Amino acid sequence: MTQDGVGLAPFNALPETDAVAALLDCCSVPAWARAVASGRPYVTVEVLLDTADAVLAELPESEIDRALDGHPRIGDRPDTAAAAREQAGVAIAADSIRAALAEGNRAYEQRFGHLYLVCATGKSGAELLELLHARLGNDPQNERRVMRTELAKINRIRLRHLLGATP
């Protein structure tokens, strides 16, 4: 894989285990990665992205919880290059924003029992904090739907990066 991504044709040609490993870097759910890999060859990036969304939509909540385990808290030190890219706006946020995010994360996790997941790409720390506060007002069922939508957005960004495809 190059810095610009592997490309769709080479991704389609990867051995199954390598394709699954690459997909696990996008979403840490083995069942999702295996299902997306098994759909190869993909004729376009959009077909791959649509398949990834469809597979994600069918995952049980326990598998979605596994996906959350693959993401750092918003404002925590990112543990992967993808998370660092996605949370770049938080990295340059004021200490007061970072402290408020940490407090908001605790409140969110206490309310919903899982990590606050949001597609952070292109958003400032202040924007992410505002979104967190707004989402604290959701009921648990609605918040779970919102979180799945955010996960799908993140997966799409990571898949495009994997393939070197521009948004």
Side-chain angles (χ1 to χ4, degrees):
M1 183 163 50
T2 68
Q3 186 174 2
D4 296 328
V6 69
L8 183 60
F11 172 76
N12 282 332
L14 285 174
E16 185 82 7
T17 56
D18 293 348
V20 169
L23 290 165
L24 284 170
D25 287 340
C26 298
C27 181
S28 62
V29 178
W32 176 87
R34 286 190 303 271
V36 174
S38 72
R40 296 174 306 148
Y42 291 102
V43 293
T44 66
V45 172
E46 281 305 313
V47 171
L48 168 60
L49 296 174
D50 290 346
T51 300
D53 288 348
V55 170
L56 185 69
E58 295 299 318
L59 289 178
E61 292 302 321
S62 60
E63 292 298 301
I64 297 300
D65 290 337
R66 288 184 82 171
L68 294 176
D69 292 341
H71 293 271
R73 284 179 181 86
I74 296 294
D76 281 1
R77 182 184 172 112
D79 54 356
T80 66
R85 277 190 311 276
E86 293 158 5
Q87 291 197 37
V90 177
I92 59 171
D95 289 343
S96 60
I97 296 290
R98 294 173 64 82
L101 280 167
E103 182 180 320
N105 279 325
R106 284 189 294 276
Y108 181 96
E109 290 173 21
Q110 183 176 12
R111 173 153 168 70
F112 297 112
H114 59 80
L115 180 85
Y116 163 57
L117 186 75
V118 62
C119 182
T121 301
K123 293 178 180 72
S124 70
E127 289 172 300
L128 294 168
L129 181 59
E130 184 178 325
L131 288 168
L132 188 153
H133 286 150
R135 286 175 54 188
L136 279 169
N138 288 343
D139 64 78
Q141 186 177 10
N142 186 47
E143 180 53 29
R144 201 68 184 181
R145 281 192 301 273
V146 170
M147 181 267 298
R148 276 180 173 262
T149 299
E150 294 297 304
L151 179 58
K153 290 178 191 176
I154 295 165
N155 288 352
R156 280 179 161 257
I157 290 168
R158 290 180 177 187
L159 284 165
R160 284 186 177 282
H161 189 266
L162 169 68
L163 299 173
T166 55

